[in-house]
Amino acid sequence: MKDTPVSSSSRAARAKGPEGALVERIFDVAPTLLCVLDLRDRRIVACNRAFVRALGIGDEATEELGWDTLLSRVHPEDLGASAVYVEQLRAARDGEPIGCSLRAQGAGGAGRVFAVRCVVLARGDDGEAHQVLVSAEDITERERREVELQKNEALLQAFLEHMPAMMFAKDRDSRYVVANAQFERFMGVAPRSVPGKRDHDILPEDIVAQVKAADDQVRNTGLATGFEEIVPHPTEGLRLFYSVKFPVQGPGIPEGTVGGAAIDITALKQAEAERQEAQQAIIAAQQATIRELATPLLPIADGVLVMPLIGTIDPERASRIIEALLAGVGAHQATIAIIDITGVRSVDARVAEVLLQAARAVRLLGARVVLTGIQPAIARMLVDLGVDWQGLVTEATLRGGIDYALRTRERRGGRLAG
């Protein structure tokens, strides 16, 4: 049958009288895309302004829209489906809407998606649908938003499923609303079985009250709270978690809903403790090395030791000096211990007393102390302090002290009398 066009000047079917004019006017200005199709004669009986605008025809009678032109606007992949819908319309009952969605070329040649609904207006003598009213709505943006929403939901679901932390939300009655896969795995429950359960259905009785107290704190303050908590694992025993609980609010979300995220920090804490233990061991070793460097004791000959002192001598170091000196004399069976103070910055009454105590203690072990490296300024200071150096051998330099020690050792046959 020849394609019979309908011009934009005859979009609506003509009707007589004021009421007919009103119906025609309503049809023409309706924002919904409307047209009347003749299925038997394959022609468009009428269409409104919104229809031709959506298809990019325009408002003026500069172009005529026919059946084939209309079909050419339908996406090729949807042509087969549209033929099926036409057959459904032929057999449709009066008032029974037949709906579908079609992709079509819209104004400017852009691809659009339309939600289409058709109802039978008139039937032929054979009872088949003759004319149908077609209403359509451009749902391109809605479809786009739905696709984006589906993508976002899929992303969120994948995010929750692969999140290594346990994530969950509970209502005011401590009933779980949602829980991710990590939560299910840790608790040893079946997938998607957590929603609807309460704390006492999943957690040991002795920590239910503790968990509820933390939830209520978030509800009462409206603030997020972070804390460490111990959670029993069904097979691995107690595990340490860092948990954050926070209020969850929004349209359709019951008041008092609390969300939570908890990450297992057991291994992290163990590693931290091991690092601290190793660090303490390193510090202890460093301190021991420092003590050795602060009180060096060098055997230079059989029965002769040298302790060169550098820097400042405080009470703690003074105690270590005496301790190291006595231990060295005993260990090496020394007869002479040379204390060299060339590198000591200053000597006051306290330092002088330490040196005298060291000398007296060494003499009790049958050895003698030789003090070397006394600078003129230090010697004058010691005199001013009135320090009694009786029984203490002094030499100006370390070399002089060593010479003295070696001469004395040879004179006494390698040993000194006390």
Side-chain angles (χ1 to χ4, degrees), residues 173-236:
D173 297 326
S174 297
R175 183 182 293 105
Y176 286 87
V177 179
V178 66
N180 70 342
Q182 180 66 16
F183 185 94
E184 296 167 346
R185 287 192 292 267
F186 183 88
M187 294 300 176
V189 298
R192 299 176 181 81
S193 65
V194 175
K197 295 183 183 294
R198 300 174 185 266
D199 283 334
H200 64 261
D201 297 323
I202 300 175
L203 302 173
E205 194 63 32
D206 56 343
I207 69 170
V208 169
Q210 172 186 342
V211 171
K212 188 176 187 306
D215 294 345
D216 289 341
Q217 179 182 354
V218 173
R219 294 187 181 101
N220 295 334
T221 63
L223 301 174
T225 304
F227 52 91
E228 292 183 4
E229 63 178 344
I230 296 177
V231 181
H233 188 275
T235 59
E236 299 179 8

Side-chain angles (χ1 to χ4, degrees), residues 118-256:
C118 305
V119 293
V120 177
L121 286 181
R123 295 182 181 276
D125 295 338
D126 56 2
E128 288 190 359
H130 182 192
Q131 291 185 349
V132 297
L133 174 64
V134 179
S135 64
E137 178 186 1
D138 189 337
I139 60 171
T140 307
E141 290 304 314
R142 186 175 73 188
E143 288 280 299
R144 183 190 62 79
R145 289 193 298 269
E146 289 180 356
V147 170
E148 289 298 321
L149 180 60
Q150 291 174 357
K151 289 181 179 179
N152 291 337
E153 289 179 348
L155 176 60
L156 178 59
Q157 186 64 30
F159 176 82
L160 292 175
E161 291 301 307
H162 294 87
M163 167 66 71
M166 295 194 298
M167 301 189 71
F168 56 87
K170 294 183 283 186
D171 63 17
R172 182 175 292 277
D173 297 326
S174 297
R175 183 182 293 105
Y176 286 87
V177 179
V178 66
N180 70 342
Q182 180 66 16
F183 185 94
E184 296 167 346
R185 287 192 292 267
F186 183 88
M187 294 300 176
V189 298
R192 299 176 181 81
S193 65
V194 175
K197 295 183 183 294
R198 300 174 185 266
D199 283 334
H200 64 261
D201 297 323
I202 300 175
L203 302 173
E205 194 63 32
D206 56 343
I207 69 170
V208 169
Q210 172 186 342
V211 171
K212 188 176 187 306
D215 294 345
D216 289 341
Q217 179 182 354
V218 173
R219 294 187 181 101
N220 295 334
T221 63
L223 301 174
T225 304
F227 52 91
E228 292 183 4
E229 63 178 344
I230 296 177
V231 181
H233 188 275
T235 59
E236 299 179 8
L238 298 179
R239 307 290 294 179
L240 182 62
F241 278 79
Y242 182 77
S243 301
V244 177
K245 292 189 175 180
F246 47 90
V248 180
Q249 301 170 342
I253 299 176
E255 183 179 356

